[in-house]
Structures are given as C-alpha cells and as structure tokens.
Amino acid sequence: TAKANDFFRTPKSLVQKMIVLADIQPTDIILEPSAGDGAIADELIKINSHLDVCEINPKFQEILKQKGYNLVAEDFLWYHRQEIYDKIIANVPFSNEVKHFLHAYKLLKPKGKLVSIASAGVTFRTTKLYQELKTLNPKFIPLPEKSFAESGTLVNSF
C-alpha cells in the first residue's frame, strides 16, 4: 500500500512546466503513473485525450474513476505494456522513485520521453539502482526552492 506521507500534489505551475518539457502533442499516447488525485492528469487531458493513469491508493483510484480517467493499473510497478507510450509524465513517490523511473523507461517507445519530479537524491545517491538510472543519461533540472510549499513540503526537488 502507498505511504500516506508520499503524496504531495503537483502544483499547477509545475505541471505546466512539465507539459512544455515533455513537448506534449495531441497525438501522443501518455501515461501518468502514481496519478494521485489527478493534478497532472487534469492538465494533460486539456490537450490530449490519449491518457492512461495508474494509482495504488484506493481513495485516489475512486477519484480518478469519477473524473473519467482510464485507470490501467493499481500498482504501476506491476504494470507491463512494453514500448507503448510516447510520453510519461509523473510525480512519483520519492520513497521508491528510482524503481519507478527504471520501470517507466521500459514502457516508453524508442524515442519516448519521461518527465518527472525527482528528489535531490537522484543527483548524489550511488546505490546499484541509481547507478543503473544514470546509465540512461537522464537530464536533471533543479526546481526553484519551495516549489512544493503549497503542497505541504519544502523538500528540494528536480
């Protein structure tokens, strides 16, 4: 089950930046893993209707279903559909972010793009999984300090 303290709603201003970075096109097939209550999906759906979501929390699953989103899996880490998505846009739980990132790359089409919020740990952690992530040459863009203040945390993120 998801950790209650692992959910921090993505502020709308950050979602807009993520959409620009991902270069979302109306024809893209998009996935939002760990969709929470739909803060990212609510903005994505305005420009693209080819959107799937995953969410492990039953309360948030119900909210997503009520909003009409296509819930394709409860636990994203168990979701398998190889190379189907053009773009994956995410704010994953920091408690197991690297597993989410590595799994997301497997779901992308060869020229697909992953844009996600990440903890500062992605830049300095050296565990085997973080080393594996770094072999994929991800680009990390620091977010301004207090980017998530309105969501209840001051953690630095990328």
Side-chain angles (χ1 to χ4, degrees):
T1 181
K3 293 181 180 180
N5 62 349
D6 241 359
F7 172 74
F8 294 98
R9 179 187 319 269
T10 310
K12 190 174 181 176
S13 61
L14 287 183
V15 176
Q16 295 300 330
K17 289 178 185 178
M18 294 170 78
I19 288 171
V20 170
L21 283 171
D23 188 29
I24 301 295
Q25 300 298 313
T27 56
D28 286 338
I29 299 171
I30 304 171
L31 175 68
E32 185 193 352
S34 302
D37 63 3
I40 295 174
D42 291 346
E43 297 304 310
L44 286 170
I45 202 73
K46 294 175 183 177
I47 54 175
N48 184 305
S49 61
H50 308 285
L51 174 63
D52 292 341
V53 298
C54 300
E55 177 52 50
I56 200 166
N57 182 307
K59 178 179 82 172
F60 291 143
Q61 289 171 12
E62 193 54 40
I63 290 169
L64 294 166
K65 288 176 188 174
Q66 288 175 2
K67 289 181 174 184
Y69 292 118
N70 186 32
L71 184 68
V72 294
E74 293 174 1
D75 187 341
F76 168 68
L77 295 175
W78 287 94
Y79 179 58
H80 295 282
R81 292 189 65 188
Q82 297 294 323
E83 299 182 353
I84 186 170
Y85 294 102
D86 297 296
K87 311 283 171 56
I88 297 178
I89 312 297
N91 179 3
V92 300
F94 286 3
S95 63
N96 62 1
E97 67 185 345
V98 72
K99 288 181 182 179
H100 278 76
F101 298 148
L102 293 171
H103 187 64
Y105 276 107
K106 294 175 188 172
L107 301 175
L108 285 169
K109 291 180 180 177
K111 296 200 183 242
K113 188 181 280 190
L114 167 64
V115 174
S116 181
I117 305 294
S119 76
V122 296
T123 62
F124 63 80
R125 289 197 175 112
T126 58
T127 66
K128 183 178 176 183
L129 288 176
Y130 281 95
Q131 289 175 350
E132 183 179 343
L133 176 65
K134 288 176 184 172
T135 67
L136 298 170
N137 297 314
K139 180 179 178 182
F140 300 113
I141 302 168
L143 293 174
E145 284 190 24
K146 301 180 182 177
S147 289
F148 276 84
E150 71 183 65
S151 301
T153 184
L154 298 179
V155 68
N156 289 332
S157 50
F158 286 75

